[in-house]
Amino acid sequence: MTEATRDIQPVELLINGIPVRAEPQMTIVEAAWAGGVPRVTGVGCLEGVCGSCRILVRRGKEVNVALGCETFVEPGMEALFLPAPGTPRHQYQLTELADGWDIQARFHEIFPEASRCRHCHGCVKSCPKGISVEEGVKLAAAGHYREAGEAFLECVMCELCDSACPEYIAPAHVGLFCRRITAFFHLRPPNLIHKLEELKQEADKKEQP
């Protein structure tokens, strides 16, 4: 053991209201387990992938949200594990979409609130993965599903952005929808769709007597 190691002091913090003394290199999840905090239902992968260890973090007057497995303990920090998200409000079946041309109308039927973004940036600030959530929703509302899906590639469906949205847009589910339909239909890019529409219209004119 080195001199530096001997001098390391434990970190004191509150997790779910319970005082915990943790080693400085521990994450909130590790500190909760080591400190005897009752096991939190849904905390799973410990690799920042499943998105289930959602926490509310208070540092003095500052309050944020994060993932417990990606947040290191800090002196005086207060962490509260949030309950798991409820059942998604937006229901749909990919097989109900007749073809790629039907997506735009169906998207706005499924997510009518997606075009009401206030640009408050709450979704961006709450995302633990640094995703440009607001831009992704904007792309989806404009019909750029491939680009929107790519914007949400790192999304782990923790749904912290959903909780932060005053318009109840559910950005995580908008991103999931875009990723699903891109894979399901092997979507053509918007500029190609527009070009094909022009070619189809020209062909229709030629067939007219």
Side-chain angles (χ1 to χ4, degrees):
M1 181 179 294
T2 65
E3 289 298 325
T5 303
R6 293 193 190 96
D7 293 338
I8 293 176
Q9 298 296 314
V11 175
E12 297 185 358
L13 70 159
L14 287 177
I15 301 179
N16 285 2
I18 299 174
V20 171
R21 287 167 62 89
E23 297 178 19
Q25 75 276 13
M26 284 183 169
T27 64
I28 294 296
V29 171
E30 292 171 327
W33 290 353
V37 177
R39 189 67 58 89
V40 177
T41 301
V43 172
C45 74
L46 303 182
E47 295 181 341
V49 177
C50 74
S52 61
C53 56
R54 304 149 21 111
I55 56 172
L56 189 71
V57 180
R58 181 189 297 277
R59 299 178 178 88
K61 295 182 179 179
E62 180 185 339
V63 178
N64 291 306
V65 290
L67 295 180
C69 69
E70 295 183 342
T71 305
F72 288 109
V73 296
E74 297 174 23
M77 171 190 283
E78 295 181 39
L80 176 69
F81 280 91
L82 298 172
T87 304
R89 294 177 289 112
H90 304 88
Q91 304 292 329
Y92 58 88
Q93 293 290 334
L94 292 177
T95 51
E96 294 175 353
L97 299 173
D99 53 41
W101 308 99
D102 187 37
I103 295 173
Q104 183 74 355
R106 289 288 292 128
F107 173 81
H108 287 287
E109 290 176 4
I110 299 166
F111 299 97
E113 63 281 347
S115 58
R116 298 201 297 264
C117 177
R118 300 184 188 180
H119 307 290
C120 67
H121 312 310
C123 56
V124 178
K125 294 176 182 175
S126 66
C127 180
K129 295 298 182 181
I131 295 172
S132 299
V133 181
E134 200 172 286
E135 179 63 18
V137 172
K138 179 181 176 181
L139 287 168
H144 300 280
Y145 302 111
R146 180 196 298 272
E147 292 83 352
E150 290 173 352
F152 282 95
L153 278 180
E154 297 296 323
C155 178
V156 294
M157 297 302 295
C158 64
E159 301 185 22
L160 289 172
C161 58
D162 295 17
S163 303
C165 180
E167 291 290 346
Y168 304 104
I169 290 178
H173 289 274
V174 169
L176 181 61
F177 175 89
C178 294
R179 289 152 59 187
R180 283 174 169 167
I181 61 170
T182 299
F184 189 75
F185 288 111
H186 303 289
L187 282 179
R188 305 177 179 95
N191 58 341
L192 178 57
I193 290 178
H194 294 154
K195 181 62 178 178
L196 291 174
E197 286 178 337
E198 291 176 359
L199 293 174
K200 186 174 183 299
Q201 291 174 1
E202 291 177 4
D204 291 342
K205 289 180 181 178
K206 291 179 180 177
E207 292 179 358
Q208 293 177 356

